[in-house]
Amino acid sequence: MSTALPDRDGSAAVVTLDRREGPFGEVVLRRRGGHYEIIANGCFLMDTADGRSERLLVTAALDELDRTGPVAEPSVLIGGLGVGFSLAHAAAEPRWGRIAVVERERAVIDWHRGGPLAAFSAGALDDPRVEVLPVDLLEYLAGGDGARYHALCLDVDNGPDWTVTDANAGLYGPDGLALLGRRLEPGGVLAVWSARPSRAFEEALRTAGFTDVVTREVAVARGVPDVVHLARRAR
């Protein structure tokens, strides 16, 4: 049942559409005016107001691959389905061969399969190139199918310094970066979305052996710019 929360002016501007308890805590889908929001354990994760940085996450990875010569039918792993902007953008690019998306929250997948977020993933879940992997990203990287990708595009936290759950911090440390490196093809690209730049993460990438480390800013409607951290696995 939807729950309306009064805004500061007393109007019912925020509506809770679904609330679920999962293995990683509570996840909530809300509507604020004409936009949808995902809240994880009380932490704002993302909304549908502006998807420019989520789309850049995928575009920048492909551009970086092209910088050293185009790859025929490159593969991409998207970490986090979220509101669907990154996946929809990848599926709209015919060059991608295999597109895998890891999403540990079953509720989020349900919201895209006939739920309120289906319009934002734009039918991408039905694309024959797309595989949805309902598993935690770290668990998949450590085990899974052992597949390698030309690009890894991660948007599972608000950034390396602002994780949704404490366990996710391991993704951005030496062990996590080693797992990510092993899942990349030689010369493959890692792209990580963040709500703010992290010099510590840039240094961690270099220490882990990644090359061509760069941070790209994306202007947003309000507040400081979002960023995408880019790095390449050595050949």
Side-chain angles (χ1 to χ4, degrees), residues 78 80-89 91-92 99 101 103 105-115 117-133:
I78 298 173
L81 176 55
V83 296
F85 286 135
S86 295
L87 176 60
H89 195 61
I99 304 170
V101 57
E103 176 53 62
E105 298 290 352
R106 294 279 183 170
V108 173
I109 298 172
D110 290 346
W111 297 335
H112 282 277
R113 292 195 184 279
L117 298 182
F120 300 95
S121 47
L125 274 68
D126 297 321
D127 189 307
R129 298 171 297 164
V130 172
E131 180 183 11
V132 180
L133 304 168

Side-chain angles (χ1 to χ4, degrees), residues 138 170-182:
L138 274 169
L171 184 63
Y172 310 103
D175 292 342
L177 292 177
L179 289 174
L180 291 166
R182 287 198 289 270

Side-chain angles (χ1 to χ4, degrees), residues 4 12 34 37 42 113 149 194 207 214 235:
E37 303 174 337
R113 292 195 184 279
Y149 300 86
S194 181
T207 301
V214 65
R235 292 183 180 276

Side-chain angles (χ1 to χ4, degrees), residues 140-188:
Y140 175 74
L141 293 172
D145 54 11
R148 285 186 175 181
Y149 300 86
H150 295 95
L152 303 178
C153 298
L154 308 189
D155 184 9
V156 294
D157 293 296
N158 285 321
D161 302 327
W162 189 0
T163 59
V164 175
T165 57
D166 292 341
N168 279 8
L171 184 63
Y172 310 103
D175 292 342
L177 292 177
L179 289 174
L180 291 166
R182 287 198 289 270
R183 286 302 193 130
L184 281 170
E185 296 283 2

